[in-house]
Structure formats: C-alpha cells, structure tokens
Amino acid sequence: MRLSLNWLQEFVEVTVSPEELSDRLTLAGFEVEAVESVVPPFAGVVVGRVLTVTAHPQADRLRLAEVETGGRTFQVVCGAPNLEAGVLYPFSPPGATLAGGRVVKPAKLRGVSSEGMLLAEDDLGLSSDHTGLMAIPQDLSPGRDLAEALHLADTVLEVAVTPNRPDCLSILGLAREVAAILGRPLHLPQVEVPETGEPIQDRARVTILAPIPCPRYAARLLTGLTVGPSPFWLRRRLELAGLRSINNLVDVTNYVLLEWGQPLHAFDFERLGCGEIVVRLPHAGEKQFHTLDGQERELTPDTLLICDAVRPVALAGVMGGLDSEVTGDTRQVLIESAYFNPRQIRRTAKRLGLSTEASYRFERGVDPDGVIHALERAAQLMGRLGGGSIAAGRLDVYPTPIARPRLSLRVSRTNQVLGAAYSPEQIVGVLKALHLPVVALDDENLVLQAPSHRGDLEREADLIEEVARLAGFDGIPVTLPRGELATPRPGPLARLRRTIQELLTGLGFFEAVTYSFQADRSFRLLGEHGSGLRLANPLSEEQTVMRTSLLPGLLEALRRNVARLAGDVRLFELARCFLPQADADLPREEEWLAGVMQGRRTGDSWLGRPEPLDFYDLKGVVETLLGGLLVPEVSFRGDGLPPYLSTGARVRARQRELGLLGELAPMVLEKLDLEGPVFMFQFRVDDLLAAAQPFPLYTPLPRYPAVYLDVALVLPEDVPAARVEQALYEHGRPWLVEAQLFDAYTGPPIAPGKRSLAFRLTYRDPERTLTDEAVHGRHQRLVEALGAELGAELR
C-alpha cells in the first residue's frame, strides 16, 4: 500500500518526520518497506494571473498576455487555446527551471518580446499533456510558489499490510493507526450528497439471488454527467498511489477505493437492461464472459455474477464487463458498492488468474458497514466532478446483517501473556485510541463489540495483541523464561537404534542412507519374485517402486565404492522397508537393519600379508552386535537360506527368529560386476527389540570354586555345534554354567560321516563347594542324555 503523507494529513496531523513515522508504523506491525521522496521536477514557477489577452501583431495563432505575479507584471507570448483573461495559470518568470533542466529566458517571438512562459503540464514534467495550459485552483494567491501551493513535494511510504488487516489497505485505515500511534484526533471527510434527481426506486432495482456469496449490495444513480479528464489533484493522488487516470467518473471509483478501502464499480446505466441489477450464479449455458481487459473468461457454476435483466455485466468483486463500461458517451452512471464473501472472490480470482485492486481487497474482507460510507463519498465526488444530478435515495439490499462478536478481555490475562503490568485504565486508553469501543465492567474484566472494519478481532488473544502493538513491543520488559525443562528418557526403540549405531561403527562400519525408491531390477538382483508399491509419478526410472529390502540399495552403494577403488567396504543401514499387503492398498512399514562387507580383515602391515574376510568374520560381527544388544541364547542354523546366499545361517534367540547372515551367491556378484566374497546380514528391528534385554542383569561374583571338565563327543556331521551346546545347557542345569567349544575334528579314527566336538564344561553351585563325586555323577548323566537325544558317544 502506497501511502501519500500529503493525503494522510487530511485525516490526521502528522507531527513527526517521515523516517520516525516509518519506524513507529513498523513497530506497530506495519512494515514500511520504502520511503520515497517526491520532489517537483521544476523550480521558480509561480502562480500567475492573466490580466489581459490581446492579439499578436505578427501571428494569427499567438496572443499576448499580461501576467501578474503579485508585485510585477510580465508580457508573455502564448499560443495555448485555453488562454483567458482573469484566470490563474502556472507561470515561469525568467530564471525559472522547467522539467529537464531547461532555464527560462526572455525571448522575442515574431518580433514581440516575451518575458517568461505560461505552462502546460508537460512543461512542468507532471504529465504528457500539452493540449493547453495547466488548470489550477482559482483560489490561489498570484506570485505564490506553484509547488508549494499544489503540495507537489510529498513523501510516499510503501507499507506492507498483513493479510489479516484489509482495513489498512486504505488511507482511512492507515490514518486510524497513525492517529493511535501519535495520539492525534482522526478527521473524516465531510460527505454531503445533494439529491436533486427523481427517486432511484422509480428507475433502478437490485435483486440478490445468491445471498451467501453476496450478503450486501448497494447502489446510487447519477444522471446528466459529463465524461472528461480528472482535475490535477485527483490524477496526482492516483499516480502517487500507482494507478493511472482514465476519466473523471472512473477515477472517482478508484479514488474512493484508495481512500476508504471499498472497491466500487461504475456501470453505464443506459446500457443496463431494464435498469436492473441481479446478483446471481451462472445460468445453464452461460460459459464465457468478456471482461474490461478484452479477455474472454471461462465461467464455472460457482462464479458469482453481476447481471442486468438480460445478461451478465460483471464478474462480482473482480472486474467489470465490456458491455456496461463507462465510455465518453456515458451520461448516467449506477455506482455499485457491495460486500462479497471473501472465499467466493478468492476462488474466482485464483481460478481465473486475475488479480485486481478490487479482488485483492474483497478476498481479504472489506468493511460491510463501510459499503454505504464509500457509496456516499463516491456519489458526492462524481456529482461534483461530473456535473450531474444525484437521484434521491439509494438502493441497499442487506437481507441478513453480519454480526460482529462481543469480546471479553481480562486484565490479568493480558499482563500474564505480555509479561507486563498494565492497569485497566492503560488498556482501556490503548483500545480506545484504536477506535475500539471498550467498556470496563470492573478492574479485571473489559468488554467490547468488535467494529465492522476489524474482521481480524475474533478472540481475547487478538485484543492482547492490539495492546502490545500500540503500547509498544519495546515497552514490554525483558524477562528470562521460567520453568523446569525435563528431557524425556529415550524410548526402547530409540535406545536400541543408538546402541546398534554405536556397536557397528565401533566394528568399522559406516552408516549409509539410501533411497526409499528403487528400480524394478532390484527384485531380480536377489532372484526374488514380486514387486513393491509402484509410484504414480516417479522421479526417474531408477526410483519407480518402494523398497521391500535394504540390500539392493546397500549393494549398489558398495559397488560404487569399489568402482572408486575403496577396497575395504563395510556399510550398514537402519531404515524402513515397505512390504506389500494382499488385503490393503498401502504397504506395511517395517524397520530393518542390514549390512554388507567386502575386502580384507586387516589393512597392509609389515607383520604379514593381509587376509581376506571370511564367513567367520561376519559371524563374529553379528555375535558382537547381538551380545552388545543383550540378546540371550543366540543360535545359528544353516537351513532354509534364500537363493541369493551361497553360505549362511539363520539367527535365532531362544524360539524367535531374528534374521540371517551369509555370503552372497556368485550370480548376485556377477550382476553387480563385483569380485571376491561379499557378506551380508539383515535383521528385523522389532524382533531385535523383543529379544534384547533392556538392561544388563547383575550377577554377583561366585563365592565357591568351579569344577572344570572336558568332554569330547562323536556325533553325526549334520548335528550343528549350536544344537549340542543347547542340549548341554538343557541337561546340565543348574550346575553347568558354561559350555565352550574348543575343538572340532574329522578323520581317522573317527568314522566317516561323523565328527568330534570337544567342549570345556564349567560346573558351579552358588550355595556350596561341589565335590568330584557329585560332579562326575552329574557329568555322566549329562553324557547319557546327549547320547539318547543326539546319538553322541564319548571319544
């Protein structure tokens, strides 16, 4: 919003500099983005009165004028067609500087001396008009400086008005704020409408068929008007506000829009069918409408139209139509002033991509009670500038008046929110300065009816904000916040994730973050069938489906690292996978942990040649990870492996399966163009969370000595060592506290198809010292149980 301080001065006396006013407006919530000084492009030009006009002796189109400037008279040669005796005009005596830096000097024109110039607007740099001498007010004193007399020196503030304050998209709205800020009274223009015409009800009618999008519509009729150029003062104010002048009638509607913030529209009344205005939605078959800019606009069923008795004549709240616009032949004008539902106008303007000064204000909300004030002001100015008569009365259709809320404000709550100590009298003074009709019920409670122009006031917090704005944010004391800040303890899942990250990074792994979207070939990479959820608008062909496994992304990251000569690569990822569900459109989201590793066990060293990683390095990583997570009774089984693994094992904790680990099959390495063994592991995080102990359990140091016995068992080769270890614990409790495998042997004298497993067993009783006889008896029964269950024999 461009705010002219000269225009503002008519509403409120500004007693501070433009810079200080800018600062105070900004602190009050209206940021001033720019301060523009407007300086006249001329100097030394004064008001001159033409005393006499005589013919030029040597030229038919030139005349001689005697110009008086208060104390002196000058002879001027002038060819302007509107030169008349007794009229005031801008005059530049010798020595004056005109627009463009041209200095006026005495000269002879057709043999006659000319002492100065009578000026047109283009000579002064005020417009491009050179049709005649500039018309100025006739109540000025001859000899007065023209720039001062016409208030041409001005300052324009570029004010950023927030969307919730449409009332300040006007001179009046900003004047209210300035009056409150400076503590000065607000002066409204005197509006008197001389009604000399016949009653408007005899000639015009307004009907609202869509009262929800258009709650109020008012109109005035003027007849006998003359269309012409606007006076300079009106054109000047529109120009400084960023609008161009069109003609005196249309300029009045734009002037009132800027002054009152109420958009208006002027219809050529003689072009309205039957003199009727109907506010309605489109009829069936009404698909297009031609707006003032000559464009054909598509209509939808919810586009609000202003129509006459026959056809649409305007897009309500947005733009008028070609068939009813004011032209040079217009003699009768119907002025529209209405309140439209902001949502309705916003939808129409956005759909059409058409933003106008009117729609900008209507879609934010105008003052429903200001409809009549702006209409009366426009009728007053249009009747004065157009020279017509105003029909008696006005049309005002307002079937359901818009009610404003009654708001309460607590003094204690205001001080609590602001951290201040305002008294009830101070708060009442601040609100009344903002022209809010507040009443104090007692020392604690205030009440007010929100005025119609303040649609942003809806609750107590809005009133508290008004107090802070006007009292000054810089006046609120600075205090440190009080309270206890308690950091919540991370949940079990967060603790598990952090522990996994710490353990794996400690084992030399780097955490990777891969895309949740993968290519279709990622399923073929692992030799699996099926697919994940396909994206409707993928970013690329490489990201068309939601991933169902972390392995393809990690293997692609490993491949890229190896291609860049990173020989030893260990990566892990902890993220979500999206698994299809047969009975649902959306996938099931599960969190998984996966890792890959390739390369050497150790780096280059003088101690010896580095050795490549093998399956047992991978198994050691997994055992260390699960041990750090406090997962008890971990076992490994080599059956039921997926086809993309050549060697591996499924990992279990008690009866729960956690995941798997293994070496990738050659077919997978061939697809990735990788050499050497690549190892992987993956676990479902929910299973890890269920199996892991939340905290380590304390076991006191043993008070009694242990008894150690070694046992070598011959078993079938297909019996895994983990199954033997599990059986040892099952049959050896409670005295057997540890069973450790320390040797595995095949070959003579062991029979083919069998192998020898040697375990060191630790027996201990927490209540007493065990004797050899007791231990050997229990040990013998343990061996017999293993023989019966697993077919084990003592070696």
Side-chain angles (χ1 to χ4, degrees):
M1 175 72 189
R2 289 175 61 83
L3 175 64
S4 164
L5 294 193
N6 285 347
W7 198 352
L8 181 66
Q9 289 278 10
E10 296 184 3
F11 289 83
V12 59
E13 180 185 5
V14 179
T15 57
V16 297
S17 67
E19 291 72 21
E20 183 177 348
L21 179 61
S22 301
D23 292 340
R24 297 181 71 172
L25 276 173
T26 299
L27 289 175
F30 298 93
E31 180 183 3
V32 177
E33 297 178 334
V35 179
E36 177 185 342
S37 295
V38 180
V39 180
F42 57 85
V45 178
V46 299
V47 177
R49 183 190 303 276
V50 176
L51 300 178
T52 61
V53 178
T54 59
H56 193 289
Q58 303 295 331
D60 295 337
R61 296 185 179 181
L62 298 178
R63 289 182 287 175
L64 302 180
E66 186 179 0
V67 180
E68 179 247 337
T69 59
R72 294 182 57 187
T73 59
F74 299 84
Q75 178 179 275
V76 178
V77 177
C78 182
N82 62 333
L83 176 64
E84 297 180 15
V87 179
L88 300 178
Y89 299 104
F91 173 67
S92 59
T97 302
L98 303 183
R102 182 160 56 102
V103 179
V104 177
K105 299 178 181 179
K108 281 190 176 185
L109 299 176
R110 294 292 183 91
V112 178
S113 177
S114 180
E115 303 172 305
M117 290 178 61
L118 292 171
L119 305 171
E121 288 187 8
D122 66 335
D123 297 320
L124 297 169
L126 299 177
S127 76
S128 60
D129 184 14
H130 196 69
T131 58
L133 299 178
M134 178 180 176
I136 62 175
Q138 296 301 300
D139 57 353
L140 303 178
S141 301
R144 186 177 179 186
D145 184 83
L146 182 70
E148 178 186 345
L150 298 183
H151 305 289
L152 297 181
D154 200 354
T155 300
V156 178
L157 306 183
E158 191 75 39
V159 184
V161 180
T162 54
N164 67 317
R165 291 299 305 272
D167 59 301
C168 289
L169 292 171
S170 65
I171 301 297
L172 173 59
L174 289 174
R176 288 195 191 101
E177 294 294 324
V178 172
I181 292 171
L182 301 181
R184 309 297 298 177
L186 180 69
H187 306 288
L188 298 179
Q190 295 296 320
V191 180
E192 296 179 358
V193 182
E195 299 177 339
T196 58
E198 59 183 308
I200 188 174
Q201 289 80 5
D202 295 343
R203 300 200 56 195
R205 184 173 62 178
V206 171
T207 303
I208 299 179
L209 298 181
I212 294 178
C214 178
R216 188 174 196 179
Y217 194 101
R220 275 275 194 182
L221 177 62
L222 291 87
T223 60
L225 297 169
T226 301
V227 177
S230 297
F232 173 76
W233 65 268
L234 178 54
R235 288 185 283 118
R236 178 70 171 176
R237 287 189 172 175
L238 292 180
E239 177 189 355
L240 292 180
L243 300 181
R244 65 181 181 90
S245 173
I246 299 175
N247 58 54
N248 55 346
L249 305 186
V250 176
D251 287 353
V252 164
T253 62
N254 288 331
Y255 182 86
V256 175
L257 174 140
L258 295 172
E259 187 177 61
W260 290 80
Q262 170 66 43
L264 305 172
H265 188 69
F267 293 104
D268 187 329
F269 185 68
E270 294 176 304
R271 302 171 72 181
L272 293 178
C274 301
E276 185 175 1
I277 289 291
V278 180
V279 185
R280 61 173 174 82
L281 298 176
H283 288 158
E286 291 179 335
K287 302 297 183 181
Q288 289 87 26
F289 177 75
H290 284 86
T291 49
L292 280 172
D293 56 2
Q295 300 295 317
E296 185 179 82
R297 309 290 180 176
E298 295 292 330
L299 301 181
T300 58
D302 63 344
T303 303
L304 186 64
L305 299 175
I306 308 299
C307 308
D308 61 12
V310 180
R311 67 197 189 286
V313 294
L315 291 176
V318 181
M319 185 176 284
L322 281 174
D323 296 336
S324 61
E325 67 174 329
V326 173
T327 66
D329 299 327
T330 298
R331 295 295 176 265
Q332 301 182 59
V333 165
L334 185 77
I335 306 175
E336 165 197 281
S337 182
Y339 176 84
F340 299 113
N341 187 296
R343 294 182 181 178
Q344 179 79 24
I345 304 305
R346 186 181 305 115
R347 282 198 299 265
T348 300
K350 297 299 182 185
R351 180 180 59 82
L352 296 176
L354 184 60
S355 179
T356 62
E357 291 287 343
S359 67
Y360 187 81
R361 287 163 173 80
F362 276 130
E363 66 189 26
R364 285 160 174 76
V366 299
D367 179 5
D369 292 351
V371 166
I372 300 302
H373 300 306
L375 179 64
E376 299 297 278
R377 176 65 164 161
Q380 175 196 35
L381 292 175
M382 195 173 292
R384 181 192 306 168
L385 301 180
S389 61
I390 303 173
R394 61 174 175 261
L395 301 176
D396 183 14
V397 181
Y398 196 11
T400 306
I402 299 174
R404 293 299 300 151
R406 181 180 177 88
L407 305 178
S408 298
L409 177 63
R410 294 165 292 171
V411 175
S412 60
R413 178 59 178 168
T414 302
N415 290 325
Q416 178 187 13
V417 171
L418 300 182
Y422 295 121
S423 66
E425 293 76 15
Q426 289 176 303
I427 296 177
V428 169
V430 167
L431 296 178
K432 285 188 174 181
L434 288 167
H435 300 85
L436 301 179
V438 61
V439 176
L441 300 180
D442 49 45
D443 289 343
E444 169 63 14
N445 299 291
L446 312 177
V447 66
L448 65 84
Q449 190 83 25
S452 60
H453 67 274
R454 291 300 303 272
D456 61 308
L457 299 181
E458 299 178 343
R459 52 183 181 166
E460 184 181 40
D462 298 328
L463 298 178
I464 295 175
E465 181 185 0
E466 294 301 295
V467 174
R469 267 195 331 108
L470 194 60
F473 294 110
D474 52 348
I476 297 176
V478 178
T479 57
L480 294 176
R482 297 180 179 179
E484 296 181 359
L485 300 178
T487 302
R489 180 180 177 83
L493 180 59
R495 293 198 302 271
L496 180 75
R497 289 174 57 93
R498 185 176 60 193
T499 303
I500 290 173
Q501 291 166 335
E502 292 175 351
L503 289 169
L504 289 177
T505 52
L507 290 168
F509 282 75
F510 288 90
E511 184 171 9
V513 178
T514 64
Y515 286 111
S516 298
F517 313 132
Q518 296 177 347
D520 277 326
R521 67 173 184 274
S522 64
F523 298 96
R524 298 191 296 271
L525 173 66
L526 300 179
E528 296 180 331
H529 300 286
S531 63
L533 178 67
R534 184 169 296 276
L535 301 182
N537 53 343
L539 298 175
S540 70
E541 290 297 325
E542 297 297 317
Q543 299 174 348
T544 56
V545 294
M546 304 290 288
R547 67 184 175 197
T548 58
S549 171
L550 300 179
L551 283 179
L554 284 175
L555 291 173
E556 178 62 22
L558 184 142
R559 185 192 65 79
R560 292 186 179 184
N561 278 272
V562 172
R564 288 160 177 77
L565 303 182
D568 304 319
V569 182
R570 299 189 183 196
L571 301 174
F572 79 93
E573 184 171 12
L574 191 59
R576 294 193 176 205
C577 293
F578 307 89
L579 307 179
Q581 302 184 88
D583 56 347
D585 294 332
L586 295 178
R588 182 178 73 257
E589 297 186 26
E590 293 184 354
E591 191 159 6
W592 283 75
L593 166 67
V596 293
M597 55 192 297
Q598 184 201 38
R600 303 169 299 179
R601 183 177 299 122
T602 59
D604 294 328
S605 173
W606 61 271
L607 293 174
R609 298 183 63 181
E611 298 178 354
L613 292 171
D614 58 23
F615 175 80
Y616 295 101
D617 293 298
L618 172 66
K619 184 170 179 288
V621 166
V622 171
E623 288 177 331
T624 303
L625 172 65
L626 298 179
L629 296 178
L630 305 179
V631 177
E633 300 184 27
V634 176
S635 61
F636 300 86
R637 299 189 61 176
D639 54 344
L641 296 178
Y644 57 83
L645 292 181
S646 60
T647 304
R650 292 193 173 274
V651 185
R652 301 177 63 87
R654 295 176 179 169
Q655 300 304 314
R656 179 185 298 274
E657 183 169 318
L658 304 180
L660 58 85
L661 74 160
E663 180 182 345
L664 291 176
M667 67 170 186
V668 178
L669 301 183
E670 183 178 351
K671 294 176 183 178
L672 292 170
D673 196 20
L674 291 173
E675 296 180 357
V678 176
F679 303 94
M680 58 73 62
F681 62 84
Q682 64 177 11
F683 297 97
R684 186 168 172 266
V685 173
D686 285 345
D687 292 329
L688 290 178
L689 182 63
Q693 296 177 357
F695 303 101
L697 300 178
Y698 168 73
T699 301
L701 294 176
R703 298 175 56 189
Y704 300 99
V707 176
Y708 301 96
L709 293 178
D710 293 343
V711 60
L713 302 172
V714 178
L715 304 104
E717 281 188 321
D718 59 352
V719 177
R723 179 69 186 90
V724 179
E725 183 177 337
Q726 180 182 357
L728 286 170
Y729 282 116
E730 289 177 357
H731 298 289
R733 290 192 179 98
W735 288 358
L736 181 64
V737 295
E738 184 178 8
Q740 184 177 4
L741 177 68
F742 66 88
D743 182 59
Y745 174 75
T746 57
I750 306 298
K754 294 191 176 184
R755 64 174 175 173
S756 170
L757 298 179
F759 291 87
R760 174 158 294 172
L761 307 181
T762 303
Y763 293 94
R764 179 184 287 113
D765 189 330
E767 302 296 333
R768 61 190 177 93
T769 300
L770 295 176
T771 63
D772 289 341
E773 293 78 6
V775 171
H776 282 290
R778 176 64 61 87
H779 183 73
Q780 184 62 35
R781 290 193 295 273
L782 173 62
V783 173
E784 292 173 356
L786 292 178
E789 180 176 343
L790 303 177
E793 301 175 354
L794 279 176
R795 180 180 171 184

